[in-house]
């Protein structure tokens, strides 16, 4: 004979149902943003309809701060940068790598000139560092875009980071339609930036290319703001490609700072090397992608031109995407520190 369900049983049953509804909702959102970017051999059925978001019609931020709020100050663990010391760690100890980073940032004038400190090294492993625990070395690299690496690997007890002042840390992404100037964000995405600097040091980036281009259509205005009640795509207002150089071993990049995607944001798809540049503000993507740079506003017209090139339609996991008929080859190049 079945047992009668009491109030306690009913409460547990209701909570279980709510849990499953929440899990399914989160899974559907994740599935959507993943499939927007990732082609797959096995298509997965899903609907492109999403809940509506109310967008403010404020100006798009591309050549100032990428995201309002607390500033990033991150480093790369198990990396020791060399360089001339401007403050000796034996005489300067702090509580965390973030404090060390902040100390380095404070030595930047903020007027677009070079920072007195453009790299820092912190010893934060109490067991490995011993008496050196807490040491914060503030250093000056002779070439900020080609830092002097002393050592790296799991056995290295140091954490290191880069600091670029305003006007510094800009690299060029050369295309057949012009050079995109990208401001790198080493304090928010240091491991991503370290990889970009490796590509910058190569004479060529064979394999680096743009292969997908989708305009803003009638869904976003020229400032990247979403038109109220309009769909969120397709088209999805983005340029997508890959930054994997043939002959080089690519290691997945861990998730770093994921602010809201804005017009001009340069971000990884997953752990890379697929990347995209957004032509619009995408609040609906909910802080899902590591942003490691942004395109200087004056160069967005180059991307708008690329978005109008001939494409062919493909279906990635039941989503229609626009793939360029002729991929655009890319190469990183150095730019003047003066923008």
């Amino acid at each position: 004979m079945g047992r009668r369900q009491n109030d306690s049983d009913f409460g547990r049953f209701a909570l279980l149902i709510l849990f499953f509804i929440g899990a399914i909702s989160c899974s559907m959102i994740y599935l959507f943003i993943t499939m927007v970017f990732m082609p797959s051999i096995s298509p997965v059925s899903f609907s492109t309809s999403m809940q509506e978001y109310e967008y403010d019609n404020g100006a798009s931020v591309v050549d100032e701060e990428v995201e309002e709020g607390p500033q990033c100050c991150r480093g790369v663990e198990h990396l020791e940068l060399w360089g001339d010391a401007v403050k000796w760690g034996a005489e300067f100890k702090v509580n965390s790598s973030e404090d060390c980073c902040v100390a380095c940032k404070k030595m930047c004038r903020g007027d677009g000139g070079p920072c007195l400190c453009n790299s820092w090294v912190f010893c934060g492993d109490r067991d490995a560092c011993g008496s050196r625990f807490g040491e914060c070395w503030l250093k000056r690299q002779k070439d900020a875009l080609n830092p002097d690496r002393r050592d790296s690997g799991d056995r290295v007890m140091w954490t290191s980071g880069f600091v670029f002042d305003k006007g510094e840390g800009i690299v060029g992404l050369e295309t057949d339609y012009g050079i995109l100037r990208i401001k790198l964000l080493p304090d928010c995405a240091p491991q991503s930036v370290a990889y970009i600097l490796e590509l910058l040091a190569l004479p060529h980036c064979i394999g680096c290319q743009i292969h997908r281009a989708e305009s803003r259509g009638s869904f976003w205005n020229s400032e990247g703001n979403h038109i109220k009640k309009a769909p969120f795509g397709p088209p999805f207002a983005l340029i997508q490609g890959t930054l994997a150089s043939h002959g080089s071993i690519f290691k997945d990049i861990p998730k770093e700072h994921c602010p809201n995607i804005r017009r001009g944001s340069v971000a990884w798809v997953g752990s890379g090397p697929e990347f995209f540049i957004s032509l619009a503000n995408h609040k609906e993507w909910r802080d899902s992608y590591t942003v490691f740079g942004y395109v200087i506003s004056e160069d967005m017209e180059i991307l708008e031109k690329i978005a109008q090139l001939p494409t062919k339609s493909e279906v990635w996991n039941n989503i229609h995407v626009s793939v360029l008929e002729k991929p655009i080859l890319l190469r990183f190049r150095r730019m003047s520190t003066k923008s």
Side-chain angles (χ1 to χ4, degrees):
M1 174 181 269
R3 185 166 60 92
R4 182 181 179 183
Q5 190 177 51
N6 57 31
D7 292 341
S8 177
D9 292 333
F10 179 78
R12 286 195 294 268
F13 182 69
L15 287 174
L16 187 61
I17 290 176
L18 290 175
F19 172 79
F20 279 117
I21 290 174
I24 291 171
S25 299
C26 292
S27 298
M28 288 302 294
I29 293 173
Y30 174 79
L31 186 64
F32 176 82
I33 60 179
T34 300
M35 291 179 181
V36 165
F37 293 101
M38 297 295 288
S40 173
I41 295 176
S42 303
V44 178
S45 175
F46 79 107
S47 171
T48 58
S49 63
M50 295 184 65
Q51 76 176 87
E52 295 195 5
Y53 289 78
E54 298 296 330
Y55 278 70
D56 296 329
N57 289 322
S60 174
V61 180
V62 285
D63 58 351
E64 296 296 331
E65 297 297 334
V66 172
E67 183 73 7
E68 295 180 358
Q71 296 298 302
C72 302
C73 235
R74 304 184 179 194
V76 180
E77 294 182 353
H78 307 299
L79 171 66
E80 182 182 5
L81 293 178
W82 211 231
D84 296 334
V86 296
K87 195 158 192 176
W88 287 67
E91 303 168 356
F92 181 53
K93 292 190 176 185
V94 296
N95 294 323
S96 67
S97 59
E98 184 176 1
D99 290 342
C100 189
C101 173
V102 169
C104 184
K105 275 189 172 185
K106 287 181 177 178
M107 300 185 77
C108 290
R109 300 200 307 265
D111 59 2
C115 293
L116 297 177
C117 170
N118 58 14
S119 60
W120 52 270
V121 181
F122 174 73
C123 202
D125 186 327
R126 188 179 296 273
D127 293 333
C129 295
S131 62
R132 306 193 69 176
F133 176 73
E135 285 189 5
C136 173
W137 291 78
L138 305 184
K139 300 186 176 185
R140 174 75 190 167
Q141 299 290 328
K142 293 180 180 179
D143 184 351
L145 295 179
N146 186 24
D148 188 1
R149 299 166 183 260
R150 173 68 181 272
D151 202 0
S152 62
D154 292 341
R155 60 185 179 82
V156 176
M157 62 187 182
W158 302 94
T159 295
S160 298
F162 317 97
V163 171
F164 295 145
D165 202 355
K166 184 178 179 180
E168 291 187 315
I170 296 175
V171 298
L173 192 57
E174 188 173 1
T175 77
D176 292 337
Y177 301 90
I179 298 174
L180 298 168
R181 289 170 295 168
I182 298 175
K183 170 69 173 178
L184 299 176
L185 304 174
D187 41 1
C188 289
Q191 299 193 67
S192 300
V193 170
Y195 175 70
I196 297 302
L197 295 185
E198 290 178 13
L199 296 180
L200 180 66
L202 299 176
H204 303 284
C205 192
I206 301 173
C208 297
Q209 62 175 319
I210 292 172
H211 54 69
R212 176 185 177 188
E214 300 189 12
S215 69
R216 291 177 283 106
S218 58
F219 306 154
W220 291 271
N221 65 20
S222 60
E223 292 182 337
N225 297 310
H226 186 252
I227 305 301
K228 210 169 185 179
K229 304 300 183 181
F232 288 95
F236 291 100
L238 60 87
I239 304 297
Q240 184 176 343
T242 183
L243 294 177
S245 179
H246 293 168
S248 299
I249 299 175
F250 178 82
K251 295 181 179 179
D252 286 352
I253 296 174
K255 193 172 184 179
E256 297 184 284
H257 185 51
C258 299
N260 284 341
I261 297 297
R262 295 176 180 267
R263 177 173 165 83
S265 294
V266 187
W268 295 119
V269 178
S271 300
E274 287 283 313
F275 79 105
F276 70 92
I277 304 175
S278 182
L279 301 180
N281 303 322
H282 284 290
K283 290 183 180 179
E284 74 278 10
W285 289 348
R286 295 192 177 191
D287 308 343
S288 301
Y289 303 100
T290 294
V291 175
F292 59 88
Y294 57 94
V295 175
I296 302 300
S297 58
E298 291 87 348
D299 297 342
M300 290 300 296
E301 62 182 27
I302 298 173
L303 293 170
E304 295 285 359
K305 185 185 300 182
I306 291 174
Q308 300 302 320
L309 294 176
T311 60
K312 56 185 178 182
S313 180
E314 291 188 4
V315 177
W316 296 356
N317 299 301
N318 278 1
I319 290 187
H320 290 273
V321 300
S322 299
V323 177
L324 287 170
E325 292 183 358
K326 183 180 178 182
I328 300 172
L329 302 182
L330 302 173
R331 182 175 75 89
F332 282 99
R333 59 175 293 178
R334 284 175 170 268
M335 305 297 294
S336 169
T337 56
K338 294 182 180 180
S339 56

